[in-house]
Amino acid sequence: MATEQNDQAQELEQEQTEQQTAQAEPEPEQAEVTVESLQEQIAQLEGDLKLEKARTANAVYEAQKSVERIQRESEKHKDTVLEKFSKELLETVDNLERAIAANGDEKTALSEGVELTLKSLLTTLEKFGVVVIDTANGFNADLHQAVGIDPNAKANEIGNVLQKGYTLHGRLLRPAMVMVGA
């Protein structure tokens, strides 16, 4: 569409320059205004109007394309920033889970506070599309990273989860590190 508008604008510019050179030729002095000269002026003004309309349409088209491009780039940048931020928060989630595991079955006010902090952090991450990868339905090479063999697990079944994996809006953020049965 933009190339058609550019072609139209160039054709109209050529016509306008041809008309201007034709008018620049000396004519005998005329004291009277003729109908023909007025019609020529009208034709020239109509040509100028077409040219300006084509330029305006081209400018509007280019502006719309620029806005769309900027919006796409903005969304891509937002997704990249959210992904980096989420990855950094996963380290905190891991540390809170390790603290809970190290405490064992002993329930203290401190361990309950750590559990509530972890729950709050996971809820916040879920609001922004970060979800824990399912490890209960067998091994999936797209979502899980096998780091060893678990002799107690069945073939292609996950025996032990060493580190949870997460997705962000359906895209892999971090694979789950698992031990798989042979």
Side-chain angles (χ1 to χ4, degrees), residues 19 23 27-28 30-45:
Q19 289 175 357
Q23 289 178 350
E27 294 182 15
Q30 295 181 356
E32 298 177 17
V33 176
T34 63
V35 173
E36 293 170 350
S37 67
L38 290 176
Q39 287 176 342
E40 287 177 13
Q41 287 179 349
I42 290 172
Q44 181 181 357
L45 291 174

Side-chain angles (χ1 to χ4, degrees), residues 44-58:
Q44 181 181 357
L45 291 174
E46 286 175 346
D48 291 347
L49 180 62
K50 285 181 183 179
L51 175 66
E52 293 304 320
K53 282 184 178 180
R55 286 180 180 166
T56 302
N58 190 28

Side-chain angles (χ1 to χ4, degrees), residues 6-180:
N6 285 337
D7 292 342
Q8 289 175 350
Q10 288 175 353
E11 289 173 7
L12 290 174
E13 284 180 32
Q14 288 175 349
E15 289 176 12
Q16 183 181 16
T17 55
E18 289 172 3
Q19 289 175 357
Q20 289 173 351
T21 56
Q23 289 178 350
E25 295 174 3
E27 294 182 15
E29 288 186 31
Q30 295 181 356
E32 298 177 17
V33 176
T34 63
V35 173
E36 293 170 350
S37 67
L38 290 176
Q39 287 176 342
E40 287 177 13
Q41 287 179 349
I42 290 172
Q44 181 181 357
L45 291 174
E46 286 175 346
D48 291 347
L49 180 62
K50 285 181 183 179
L51 175 66
E52 293 304 320
K53 282 184 178 180
R55 286 180 180 166
T56 302
N58 190 28
V60 168
Y61 176 78
E62 292 296 326
Q64 288 172 343
K65 289 297 177 187
S66 294
V67 167
E68 291 171 5
R69 180 183 50 81
I70 290 169
Q71 287 174 341
R72 282 192 310 269
E73 289 175 359
S74 173
E75 285 297 317
K76 186 177 179 181
H77 180 69
K78 183 180 91 174
D79 291 343
T80 302
V81 169
L82 182 59
E83 184 175 330
K84 287 180 181 180
F85 183 69
S86 298
K87 280 184 179 181
E88 291 296 321
L89 285 179
L90 292 181
E91 293 177 24
T92 304
V93 170
D94 293 339
N95 289 334
L96 290 172
E97 288 175 344
R98 285 185 201 107
I100 292 169
N103 192 43
D105 293 334
E106 184 181 333
K107 294 289 183 187
T108 64
L110 180 62
S111 67
E112 288 179 16
V114 171
E115 288 175 8
L116 290 174
T117 303
L118 176 63
K119 182 179 177 184
S120 174
L121 182 57
L122 289 174
T123 302
T124 302
L125 286 171
E126 286 178 10
K127 285 181 186 177
F128 290 96
V130 178
V131 180
V132 176
I133 292 175
D134 179 31
T135 55
N137 294 324
F139 181 75
N140 180 348
D142 294 331
L143 301 174
H144 306 117
Q145 180 180 358
V147 294
I149 297 175
D150 188 350
N152 299 328
K154 295 179 184 176
N156 290 332
E157 292 292 321
I158 296 173
N160 189 14
V161 178
L162 302 176
Q163 186 180 46
K164 290 182 181 179
Y166 295 88
T167 60
L168 174 63
H169 298 295
R171 291 188 340 253
L172 183 64
L173 189 60
R174 181 179 82 183
M177 291 175 40
V178 296
M179 302 284 283
V180 182

